[in-house]
Amino acid sequence: MPLDAICLTAVVEELKKTLVGGKVDKIYQPTRDEVVLAVRGSRGNVRLLLSANPSHPRAQLTQLPRENPDAPPMFCMLLRKHLTGARILDVAQPPLERVVELRLEALNELGDRVERRLVLEAISRRSNLVLLDGEGRILDCIRHVDSGLAEHGGMTRILQPGMFYHLPPAQAKQDPTTLDRAGLKRLLEAAPEEAQADKWLLDTFGGMSPLVCRELAHRAGGATDVRLNVLGEAGRERLLDQLETLLSGIRENHFTPTILNKDGKPSDFTFFPVEQYGTLVQSIPFPTFSQLLDQFYEQRENLERVKT
């Protein structure tokens, strides 16, 4: 699965604790879509993987070895020019967006301190990694988007060096973390009676994956495809209870990184225990999301290699 916005929130909290205050020691680009930053920090040396691969975009600390090509690509050389020796000031995520922004303090050619930003857009086929100057202009990006591609792909942004950077257009959905129970209840009361609970959640709220929406529906009504009119008043209250519990955990950064294994193979991952599959799927908790992502994608890549 792609890294959803709530899982990414958990990842960003992990990265902040380890990366802020650290210095970028080395930079390499093992594949066309991946960049690794070796960072020296107060907690030791770590490697930050920023992947703009359309199939599995993500940000994470990684312990898996990756090749350092003898001839670095142009984008890697530019990152080395601007970010080698830079100090990481912050790691941030716009609310419930699949975007991670690293803010760094670097030295320019004259020895002056300047700000640079490195932005990962982990948005499936539109994933990108963008380097910005202190004014928000694009210095370069791992994947250029011109007017033709923007138009063909239904995108509204052009990503080219020299242009000012703007975040991807926000979805027309509610941010559930900003709503209290009364606000959530008003939205639920306005929902179509025949709507599936999970579909209504997915269409109404940003940041929530189909897996999470199905799980909330299952816990409220005993089935992932239960409809709102079948839930009844008591079921709707249970749905609000489950939603409030979920949102409270997000606000307080209480996450349980969990891999879902089906038939002994990794099928999905999420940030809390999942009950909807019963005994068909095994939930395996991990101490951190970075450890989870290393194992999940290493197993996935090994299975793909066996198939080919």
Side-chain angles (χ1 to χ4, degrees):
M1 63 167 281
L3 190 66
D4 68 39
I6 299 178
C7 287
L8 192 57
T9 299
V11 172
V12 167
E13 288 303 313
E14 287 182 10
L15 297 181
K16 277 185 181 180
K17 295 174 185 176
T18 304
L19 296 178
V20 171
K23 289 193 174 182
V24 179
D25 192 27
K26 296 178 181 178
I27 303 169
Y28 57 101
Q29 187 174 343
T31 69
R32 175 185 174 185
D33 300 317
E34 294 182 339
V35 166
V36 175
L37 306 183
V39 178
R40 288 184 290 112
S42 59
R43 301 190 180 191
N45 299 335
V46 296
R47 287 181 295 164
L48 172 65
L49 170 66
L50 300 171
S51 174
N53 187 303
S55 299
H56 39 78
R58 65 197 188 277
Q60 63 163 112
L61 301 179
T62 183
Q63 296 183 347
L64 299 179
R66 280 176 169 79
E67 182 183 358
N68 185 2
D70 293 332
M74 291 297 295
F75 184 70
C76 181
M77 293 174 66
L78 186 77
L79 291 180
R80 289 177 178 176
K81 174 184 175 182
H82 286 277
L83 301 184
T84 299
R87 185 165 63 94
I88 298 175
L89 303 177
D90 193 20
V91 183
Q93 175 196 23
L96 293 185
E97 295 288 345
R98 285 182 289 168
V99 176
V100 180
E101 178 182 302
L102 273 69
R103 190 164 61 88
L104 307 102
E105 182 184 70
L107 297 178
N108 63 13
E109 295 88 341
L110 301 177
D112 299 323
R113 296 184 185 277
V114 294
E115 184 171 303
R116 296 287 180 260
R117 288 155 58 201
L118 188 58
V119 181
L120 173 68
E121 299 181 353
I123 313 173
S124 301
R125 62 184 178 82
R126 293 183 289 168
S127 296
N128 215 329
L129 186 60
V130 188
L131 178 65
L132 310 177
D133 67 13
E135 297 179 345
R137 286 186 185 273
I138 298 173
L139 294 170
D140 205 356
C141 39
I142 208 165
R143 185 175 292 110
H144 292 183
V145 180
D146 61 23
S147 56
L149 286 174
E151 189 174 64
H152 178 72
M155 298 169 63
T156 59
R157 297 181 308 149
I158 299 173
L159 298 176
Q160 294 284 349
M163 302 189 67
F164 279 105
Y165 174 79
H166 300 283
L167 286 169
Q171 290 184 312
K173 295 184 180 183
Q174 296 277 347
D175 179 350
T177 63
T178 64
L179 299 172
D180 59 12
R181 188 181 183 95
L184 296 171
K185 189 169 185 176
R186 281 194 297 271
L187 290 172
L188 182 55
E189 288 173 345
E193 286 290 320
E194 295 292 326
Q196 274 188 209
D198 67 319
K199 302 294 185 186
W200 173 77
L201 289 166
L202 187 64
D203 293 341
T204 304
F205 300 114
M208 292 168 48
S209 69
L211 172 66
V212 171
C213 295
R214 291 195 305 269
E215 182 66 19
L216 293 176
H218 172 78
R219 293 185 181 189
T224 57
D225 59 352
V226 65
R227 296 187 181 275
L228 295 178
N229 58 350
V230 174
L231 278 177
E233 190 61 32
R236 286 169 178 251
E237 290 299 319
R238 288 195 299 273
L239 183 61
L240 290 173
D241 290 342
Q242 292 296 332
L243 188 52
E244 274 200 306
T245 300
L246 177 88
L247 296 174
S248 176
I250 295 169
R251 295 186 190 104
E252 297 170 7
N253 295 319
H254 290 162
F255 301 103
T256 304
T258 303
I259 280 183
L260 305 179
N261 269 11
K262 184 176 181 180
D263 299 327
K265 301 174 184 177
S267 62
D268 213 334
F269 61 84
T270 188
F271 58 91
F272 69 146
V274 170
E275 302 170 0
Q276 61 188 271
Y277 300 112
T279 59
L280 296 177
V281 171
Q282 182 185 14
S283 294
I284 305 175
F286 278 74
T288 69
F289 254 102
S290 289
Q291 290 172 273
L292 177 153
L293 292 169
D294 259 356
Q295 179 157 327
F296 183 85
Y297 285 110
E298 182 182 33
Q299 290 179 335
R300 270 292 180 89
E301 289 165 4
N302 287 340
L303 288 172
E304 289 172 3
R305 279 194 290 269
V306 169
K307 288 180 181 178
T308 56

